[in-house]
Amino acid sequence: MASPITKIGHDSLHSTLRVLGQAGATTDHADWMRGGERGENASLLVRFIDEQMALAEMNPYEMTVAAQLTALRRANEEELDLKNPFWTPIGEEQFARLANSAPAWPKGKHVYRFFRIRFGEGDDGVAKTLEVHCARIHHVFGVKHYWRSGQLLSGKVEYHGEPVERLRLLNGNHTHKACIEWVVANFDRHRKRNSVAAVRSAKSLADELLVAAWMFPEVVRDMHLKNLPALFAAGYEVNVPGCGEETWRHTMGVYFDRLEHQASLQVFHVCDARSGFSVPELL
């Protein structure tokens, strides 16, 4: 909790005055701040600073409930029109339920409200859900602006003549149930870490991150490794055969390839420690 400015030390007070001077503050400004009845001018200044601090913490990609439901309705209609074989129709009763159960938009510059949309159950449901949302991202960004790694596969895929599982949930595929529900997540978590493996947890995003990618396409397009991080779906474990004796030591990431102008779904090793990527978590 913040303390009154009268409590800060001499060094902090001196640096505050120095910054004000560098910004052009003069003795006239200081006289004005001390003026007014009962510190009225200083109160105005503090109120202005509070407003600016609040604006700085606002998420510029905030969406209303109505806008998010419109995006979901559009996805439902378009995926059915495109005959996406994995998409299950969403009925009006589900839209009504979501409209009535929406949480308030969360506070925080990198915190988002969106949906968990899962199809099917267990192993088959995990595979189906990945394919549903990859297809939706593909349709939102377009053929030329979408790329999916050939290592990001779902279900059992043959490798050297043997069926090999390629994708699973960190929380276990048995936890996967068909649902459409609201979730809230912080996209700026764990940018400083020793590895993805060191910070992933039951709260790490998996298929939820794919929904966010097609619901907030501008977030993906605006990804900059310094200010707006690329995102690891660390709630997914990916098996990449041929990597020695290692199994299930990869995960999935969403980033924007600025050279190719593509939304990219890539596979990364869980030892990745780059701060240009975050490991988002559910709140």
Side-chain angles (χ1 to χ4, degrees):
M1 185 175 178
S3 301
I5 197 169
T6 52
K7 299 282 186 181
I8 69 174
H10 176 77
D11 289 344
S12 295
L13 184 60
H14 180 74
S15 63
T16 301
L17 293 173
R18 183 176 68 253
V19 169
L20 285 170
Q22 291 170 345
T26 67
T27 53
D28 287 342
H29 291 114
D31 291 341
W32 181 87
M33 282 186 276
R34 290 191 297 269
E37 295 183 6
R38 300 178 182 177
E40 179 182 333
N41 291 357
S43 295
L44 288 172
L45 179 61
V46 169
R47 195 177 311 142
F48 173 76
I49 293 173
D50 285 342
E51 290 171 354
Q52 295 305 305
M53 289 172 64
L55 286 172
E57 283 303 306
M58 287 181 63
N59 188 329
Y61 303 98
E62 179 176 343
M63 291 178 72
T64 65
V65 171
Q68 290 186 280
L69 290 174
T70 296
L72 179 59
R73 189 178 297 278
R74 184 183 305 116
N76 188 47
E77 294 171 353
E78 291 180 357
E79 294 310 302
L80 292 175
D81 287 345
L82 291 166
K83 295 182 170 38
N84 183 334
F86 302 107
W87 188 276
T88 301
I90 302 172
E92 286 302 319
E93 70 283 357
Q94 291 173 296
F95 283 103
R97 174 179 58 81
L98 291 168
N100 292 327
S101 62
W105 184 269
K107 293 182 179 180
K109 190 172 184 177
H110 298 284
V111 184
Y112 294 79
R113 174 191 64 204
F114 53 107
F115 300 112
R116 174 186 289 125
I117 305 173
R118 292 182 169 177
F119 301 89
E121 298 190 2
D123 295 346
D124 290 342
V126 171
K128 181 178 182 180
T129 297
L130 176 85
E131 297 303 333
V132 163
H133 295 310
C134 285
R136 182 60 190 161
I137 296 169
H138 191 177
H139 297 152
V140 168
F141 285 90
V143 175
K144 294 183 179 180
H145 302 290
Y146 167 83
W147 184 81
R148 172 179 169 178
S149 169
Q151 294 180 326
L152 182 61
L153 300 171
S154 60
K156 288 185 178 181
V157 181
E158 278 201 7
Y159 180 73
H160 289 176
E162 296 290 332
V164 178
E165 290 284 357
R166 299 300 296 269
L167 180 81
R168 69 186 186 190
L169 294 178
L170 180 66
N171 292 336
N173 288 0
H174 67 281
T175 66
H176 185 101
K177 308 293 182 184
C179 65
I180 304 178
E181 58 193 14
W182 294 101
V183 294
V184 173
N186 186 342
F187 284 7
D188 200 42
R189 294 284 289 139
H190 303 304
R191 295 191 67 175
K192 293 183 179 180
R193 61 185 185 278
N194 292 326
S195 68
V196 174
V199 298
R200 64 184 176 179
S201 71
K203 293 183 178 181
S204 297
L205 301 189
D207 46 86
E208 300 93 348
L209 186 57
L210 298 175
V211 176
W214 62 252
M215 178 155 283
F216 301 99
E218 291 308 313
V219 172
V220 177
R221 293 189 184 101
D222 291 346
M223 280 179 177
H224 187 284
L225 300 187
K226 181 177 180 181
N227 299 319
L228 191 62
L231 308 168
F232 280 128
Y236 272 138
E237 292 184 296
V238 179
N239 183 21
V240 182
C243 292
E245 296 182 357
E246 287 191 334
T247 57
W248 302 110
R249 294 293 293 166
H250 291 77
T251 191
M252 195 206 82
V254 176
Y255 73 101
F256 192 73
D257 187 326
R258 295 197 167 276
L259 184 62
E260 300 295 335
H261 303 285
Q262 291 176 328
S264 298
L265 308 182
Q266 179 63 282
V267 170
F268 298 87
H269 199 280
V270 293
C271 69
D272 199 298
R274 287 174 291 176
S275 62
F277 283 70
S278 67
V279 185
E281 284 186 341
L282 295 168
L283 299 179

